[in-house]
Amino acid sequence: MNFQERWPQPSSLKQALLARLVLGLGVSQEQASLRDWFQATALTVRELLTARWHETNRQVRDHGLKQVSYLSMEFLLGRGLQNGLMALNILDECREALAECGVRLEDLIELEVTPALGNGGLGRLAACFLDSMASLGLPSIGYGIRYEFGMFRQEVIDGWQIERPDDWLADSNPWEFMRPERQYLVRFGGRVVHEGNRVHWLDGEAVYAIAYDTLVPGHGHYAVNTLRLWGARPVEPMDLATFNRGAFMEALSPQLRARTVVRVLYPDDSTIEGRELRLRQEHFFVSASIQDTLRRFRADYDDWALLPDKISIHLNDTHPALAPAELMRQLVDEHLLAWDDAWDLVTRVLSYTNHTLMPEALEIWPCDMMGRLLPRHLQIIEEINRRFGQQVEARPGDNQPDLFAKVSVIQEDGERRVNMGRLSVLSSHKVNGVSRLHSRLVRERLFPEFAELFPERFANVTNGITPRLWLNLANPKLATLINETIGDGWQRDLSRLADLRPSAEDDAFCGRLADIKALNKQRLAKLIAHRVGIEVNPAAMFDVQVKRIHEYKRQLLNLLHVIARWNAMRAAPEQDWPARVVIMAGKAASAYHMAKLIIKLAHDIGRRINNDPVTGDRLKLVFLPDYSVSLAEYIIPAADLSEQISLAGTEASGTGNMKLALNGALTIGTADGANVEIAEQVGPEDIFIFGMSVEEVAALDASGTYSSREIYRNSQQLQEVIDQLGAGQFSSDPACFWPIVDSLLDGNDHFKLLADFDSYWQAQRAVDRAWRDQPAWLRKAARNIAGAGRFSSDRSIRDYASRIWNAGYLPA
């Protein structure tokens, strides 16, 4: 028997899986572990997607389509196996093929590690957008960093967050292709020499950025796009002479220094070294991405005038804001374009999405630091700013003599600093916020002078989420119910969920919806018991707040309510208090002590109230550690109530609110971010809005009269709660939570929790009343699902393609 007879070309998925297991991994079927089967299945799926990938790239070239380079510091991907199988439409076939080999597909899906490439909503949005671009056939390539250890793996010990390395690459990653031929030199430090019209960046240090490609499959379209992540390697792997004389660690220092730039997401920036590492990271991935984008363009076109017709470079928030300086450096220094011609190309190619109104997130770098690490970029930014200043000062009839100081990219008040948010706006032909309210605040509060100078640049694109992950994968039974009720057209056009609205009055539909929710809650209850050892009642209301831990997210407001509710229940245990399980999850930045203290408080409150015989099963508080996409797939389908409680005017959009509404959770929230648009879609009777409006917050700030102590003195309920914290009632250390008390009272409560507390309490009582009428609650849940159709990332990407990028699609 020859080789071809023994190993024929696979004619079935089962044969393909076995061939990959035995030939690709070198493991016999009898000896294969579950990990081996996962690798074999993933590699088989990757091979099937690769054929589509090559066809996609060929079609882009043949049709001369514009391609979007999407630059993002985060891409919070989900697990790839089930997603790939669904994109190929072979999920059931694979399940059957594996079953014939004695393997359960579900075991392999649970075995997969979630890529540690993001932290929160920014990264998850980027992942949803990549999914939608592929599913719509919009040519794109995502660019980011291949973090070796992600942000961190969160453990909780005695209530305190402990950061551990998230070694997600410990086992080989079956989804990526290493591309050693795609490597680019990235420089740091050194000096700049001007010789006539030529500029040379010399000396300093350098690393190579190495491409790793992950395939991004479309659903309902053959397109497979690319996520290109950059790894790092030194120019010289080690100093052999130093090694041979016995200085082993010194000899390996180039390797260690180069790989430091890709070790972790968001290194602790409480030190100068941490700040410098962040700037290095941002330059590293921006430089490699710009070089690669220009290489792709020059491979097909030799006329620079075509660049804006063939390439869009999009900045996902302000982290990639070095892109205009790097693009100018490439065009002027490396490709010898005239400054004005290069700047014209830059401003026609770049676009920028702002994701936050928080000043600390706008990437403001000291000029001394930038000059030391990126001397040529600082020169370019200063020249951009000088020319901009001339344009501002030459404006006819300008009656604002200090206008340039308000828009200058170089801030001169005190230490000279580079404002990267301003650079992004100045360099982009379009600037957008991510909800209607946020986009208005970007224009009116964050960049009002730029909006006056360049009103045509500002736009809105409300965020969205992919229904492929957040219904089909995370909640397949609900997806099936929707298919059976209105057909499957909603999967290609989520706005068709509006056709579900009449079903909210159908008892049979609501009954099935209740059964699905109950199964999801039982599944989550088992996970809670397994992960943290707390038994919860699946029949209770699951009240969910899952997001990055930050003071502006106001998890602390939620915890104040839990304490107040517990106090009220103990004072009147005979009242009809609906059973409630408050579920929280999220990570605090490693240097953010107050956020860590909030996590500690959540645990200590839970430890006290979860074992209280007076309240019993009627009130539980659970904090689930190490929040991730895979954990969200358990929590979100099981949620009854969605907490979206930021102070109005601080949350840009939110996407967790969209995922939860899509899965039938009712929102309790402020009139902030996308909550406003969700309320419009689902109706005021099916959402619980509380608290001050943006205008009321602004008026209170302008008046200068806000006194949190005055509110505290006039509220017996708040006095009791805050005094309990101050007295150490929830901790063995009486002083543990004094910083929280100080921030609320002596710090004047920056995010105005106390101002909104009474309204929040009243809204929670309205939630209780609504929950008692379960048939009515289910109708509300059904209307929330029906109203979530606007919040598809497909709709968002269509908006970007038509209004921001002017980009076309691959043929269907």
Side-chain angles (χ1 to χ4, degrees):
M1 179 182 293
N2 62 32
F3 181 83
Q4 285 76 17
E5 292 172 326
R6 185 171 181 82
W7 301 107
Q9 184 70 23
S11 59
S12 69
L13 185 56
K14 177 182 176 182
Q15 286 185 323
L17 291 169
L18 288 171
R20 173 52 63 186
L21 179 74
V22 178
L23 293 178
L25 300 181
V27 180
S28 69
Q29 184 177 353
E30 294 75 20
Q31 295 176 326
S33 66
L34 276 180
R35 174 66 61 184
D36 295 327
W37 276 109
F38 167 73
Q39 290 283 339
T41 307
L43 290 170
T44 301
V45 171
R46 191 185 73 173
E47 288 179 1
L48 295 171
L49 292 173
T50 300
R52 295 187 178 191
W53 187 42
H54 289 312
E55 176 62 16
T56 299
N57 293 331
R58 185 185 69 81
Q59 292 273 9
V60 172
R61 289 191 300 270
D62 289 352
H63 289 85
L65 293 174
K66 175 182 273 192
Q67 198 165 25
V68 177
S69 292
Y70 192 83
L71 276 59
S72 180
M73 204 71 176
E74 299 183 46
F75 289 95
L76 192 51
L77 306 174
R79 295 180 289 194
L81 179 55
Q82 190 175 4
N83 183 57
L85 290 169
M86 292 182 67
L88 292 165
N89 200 26
I90 58 171
L91 182 65
D92 292 336
E93 182 183 354
C94 185
R95 181 179 286 109
E96 293 169 4
L98 287 168
E100 292 176 12
C101 300
V103 178
R104 292 179 69 249
L105 173 60
E106 286 68 26
D107 293 336
L108 305 188
I109 291 171
E110 288 299 317
L111 195 62
E112 184 174 356
V113 176
T114 303
L117 299 171
N119 175 37
L122 179 76
R124 186 54 233 165
L125 179 79
C128 285
F129 280 3
L130 292 187
D131 174 274
S132 285
M133 284 187 262
S135 297
L136 294 171
L138 182 75
S140 68
I141 179 166
Y143 284 110
I145 295 178
R146 183 180 180 264
Y147 302 105
E148 294 182 9
F149 299 108
M151 188 170 176
F152 54 79
R153 176 171 53 84
Q154 182 192 53
E155 293 182 5
V156 177
I157 298 177
D158 191 30
W160 291 106
Q161 172 182 289
I162 305 297
E163 299 92 24
R164 308 290 190 198
D166 189 352
D167 197 6
W168 70 286
L169 292 169
D171 293 319
S172 60
N173 178 10
W175 300 111
E176 66 183 11
F177 293 101
M178 183 183 179
R179 297 294 190 200
E181 74 280 8
R182 296 285 177 256
Q183 67 174 22
Y184 301 96
L185 195 68
V186 179
R187 292 185 174 277
F188 301 97
R191 58 195 176 91
V192 179
V193 175
H194 294 258
E195 294 181 350
N197 293 328
R198 294 299 307 274
V199 180
H200 305 280
W201 187 3
L202 304 175
D203 303 331
E205 59 180 300
V207 298
Y208 281 118
I210 310 296
Y212 289 79
D213 287 351
T214 298
L215 309 188
V216 181
H219 294 251
H221 197 290
Y222 67 83
V224 175
N225 287 332
T226 307
L227 171 60
R228 177 159 288 178
L229 302 173
W230 300 108
R233 75 170 180 83
V235 175
E236 294 293 339
M238 74 171 183
D239 185 334
L240 187 57
T242 302
F243 186 89
N244 286 337
R245 71 168 187 263
F248 305 130
M249 295 305 296
E250 181 183 348
L252 291 171
S253 64
Q255 181 76 254
L256 298 173
R257 189 168 179 82
R259 293 184 62 183
T260 297
V261 79
V262 298
R263 292 291 192 189
V264 298
L265 167 67
Y266 301 143
D268 185 342
D269 63 353
S270 61
T271 65
I272 292 176
E273 292 81 5
R275 291 271 292 162
E276 288 190 0
L277 179 54
R278 286 205 185 192
L279 184 56
R280 284 176 179 268
Q281 285 186 325
E282 293 177 6
H283 169 60
F284 170 78
F285 108 86
V286 164
S287 178
S289 303
I290 295 296
Q291 291 183 66
D292 191 59
T293 296
L294 295 183
R295 179 202 59 79
R296 288 188 291 108
F297 171 76
R298 294 296 279 178
D300 295 322
Y301 307 101
D302 58 8
D303 183 357
W304 284 110
L306 294 175
L307 185 66
D309 298 324
K310 301 303 178 183
I311 295 291
S312 282
I313 300 175
H314 193 79
L315 313 182
N316 187 36
D317 213 5
T318 321
H319 308 113
L322 282 164
E326 175 65 15
L327 186 52
M328 284 296 291
R329 188 185 74 82
Q330 289 289 327
L331 294 175
V332 173
D333 295 358
E334 303 297 331
H335 297 283
L336 307 182
L337 272 69
W339 181 280
D340 289 341
D341 294 338
W343 182 245
D344 177 65
L345 293 176
V346 166
T347 55
R348 293 169 61 198
V349 165
L350 289 178
S351 51
Y352 163 54
T353 295
N354 174 276
H355 283 277
T356 179
L357 300 171
M358 299 291 166
E360 65 269 20
L362 292 179
E363 301 289 312
I364 297 176
W365 296 105
C367 289
D368 286 347
M369 181 185 294
M370 183 172 287
R372 185 170 63 254
L373 289 178
L374 304 171
R376 179 57 179 149
H377 293 74
L378 180 60
Q379 289 181 356
I380 290 171
I381 292 169
E382 288 176 333
E383 180 62 14
I384 290 171
N385 196 53
R386 185 187 69 82
R387 293 176 180 234
F388 177 42
Q390 290 177 342
Q391 294 174 6
V392 172
E393 291 170 2
R395 291 181 73 215
D398 190 355
N399 57 4
Q400 295 190 52
D402 61 342
L403 176 59
F404 183 58
K406 297 177 181 178
V407 296
S408 176
V409 175
I410 307 294
Q411 295 182 224
E412 303 281 358
D413 51 324
E415 181 187 32
R416 293 182 78 243
R417 293 155 293 156
V418 182
N419 187 308
M420 305 304 282
R422 294 180 184 178
L423 178 62
S424 300
V425 175
L426 178 60
S427 308
S428 299
H429 69 279
K430 286 292 183 183
V431 177
N432 70 280
V434 291
S435 69
R436 193 171 63 239
L437 173 61
H438 172 242
S439 294
R440 175 169 68 84
L441 296 178
V442 166
R443 291 192 308 271
E444 295 177 358
R445 296 190 184 177
L446 196 59
F447 302 118
E449 294 82 14
F450 280 97
E452 178 186 341
L453 292 169
F454 310 110
E456 74 286 351
R457 293 190 184 183
F458 288 81
N460 172 60
V461 179
T462 297
N463 280 345
I465 57 172
T466 169
R468 269 76 62 178
L469 174 58
W470 297 112
L471 267 185
N472 288 22
L473 271 71
N475 203 346
K477 288 184 171 58
L478 178 56
T480 298
L481 174 60
I482 296 171
N483 285 342
E484 293 173 358
T485 305
I486 62 172
D488 64 1
W490 63 271
Q491 300 198 32
R492 293 174 294 280
D493 179 4
L494 200 63
S495 67
R496 294 190 182 185
L497 286 181
D499 295 341
L500 275 177
R501 199 163 183 88
S503 299
E505 307 305 320
D506 181 353
D507 290 343
F509 176 87
C510 289
R512 291 184 64 188
L513 182 61
D515 293 341
I516 292 166
K517 182 67 75 173
L519 290 172
N520 290 331
K521 292 171 72 172
Q522 291 165 16
R523 179 170 170 255
L524 178 57
K526 290 179 182 178
L527 182 139
I528 291 171
H530 174 71
R531 294 255 180 119
V532 296
I534 300 173
E535 300 290 335
V536 300
N537 178 11
M541 179 199 305
F542 280 16
D543 174 352
V544 166
Q545 188 177 22
V546 287
K547 54 187 76 233
R548 177 165 53 102
I549 308 299
H550 195 291
E551 287 172 277
Y552 93 85
K553 302 283 188 181
R554 298 209 294 188
Q555 285 94 350
L556 184 54
L557 178 60
N558 191 347
L559 294 176
L560 295 180
H561 168 256
V562 171
I563 298 172
R565 186 181 184 87
W566 180 62
N567 291 337
M569 292 175 72
R570 287 174 59 84
E574 73 285 354
Q575 288 188 13
D576 181 18
W577 295 96
R580 187 183 294 219
V581 179
V582 179
I583 299 167
M584 304 179 76
K587 296 179 181 180
S590 56
Y592 194 172
H593 178 70
M594 184 59 75
K596 288 184 170 183
L597 194 59
I598 290 169
I599 293 174
K600 170 66 172 170
L601 178 60
H603 279 85
D604 286 2
I605 293 171
R607 183 164 49 194
R608 178 69 185 274
I609 71 175
N610 290 345
N611 301 304
D612 187 343
V614 175
T615 53
D617 277 348
R618 292 186 294 172
L619 183 61
K620 300 284 187 182
L621 173 60
V622 175
F623 187 96
L624 285 170
D626 207 32
Y627 187 54
S628 65
V629 175
S630 54
L631 181 55
E633 290 176 39
Y634 279 86
I635 297 173
I636 288 173
D640 296 303
L641 186 67
S642 165
E643 300 268 354
Q644 310 295 331
I645 58 177
S646 54
L647 177 67
T650 59
E651 182 68 83
S653 171
T655 52
N657 47 8
M658 302 170 188
K659 298 162 196 167
L660 285 150
L662 182 63
N663 280 271
L666 275 61
T667 300
I668 182 169
T670 54
D672 197 25
N675 290 352
V676 176
E677 291 166 74
I678 291 174
E680 292 172 356
Q681 297 298 312
V682 305
E685 69 281 1
D686 295 323
I687 190 170
F688 302 93
I689 297 295
F690 73 92
M692 294 181 288
S693 68
V694 167
E695 290 74 20
E696 289 170 332
V697 173
L700 186 58
D701 285 339
S703 72
T705 60
Y706 181 59
S707 171
S708 57
R709 276 200 172 272
E710 186 69 21
I711 295 174
Y712 163 79
R713 282 193 292 267
N714 291 327
S715 170
Q716 183 177 351
Q717 188 177 46
L718 277 174
Q719 282 185 36
E720 182 179 14
V721 171
I722 293 174
D723 289 351
Q724 286 172 295
L725 292 179
Q729 187 167 336
F730 299 99
S731 175
S732 58
D733 176 6
C736 182
F737 301 119
W738 287 358
I740 290 177
V741 174
D742 289 343
S743 73
L744 292 175
L745 300 182
D746 297 329
N748 208 30
D749 184 21
H750 182 69
F751 292 103
K752 298 180 175 56
L753 283 69
L754 304 194
D756 274 352
F757 180 83
D758 184 64
S759 178
Y760 183 49
W761 174 264
Q762 296 303 326
Q764 291 284 12
R765 303 291 70 72
V767 169
D768 288 342
R769 292 190 294 273
W771 179 257
R772 291 189 188 100
D773 187 347
Q774 276 296 293
W777 183 278
L778 287 167
R779 290 193 293 272
K780 291 176 181 291
R783 288 193 290 268
N784 267 265
I785 298 169
R790 168 168 168 70
F791 304 105
S792 166
S793 52
D794 294 353
R795 188 268 313 147
S796 298
I797 290 302
R798 289 191 186 98
D799 286 349
Y800 275 106
S802 63
R803 297 164 51 198
I804 308 293
W805 302 326
N806 191 27
Y809 302 90
L810 290 161

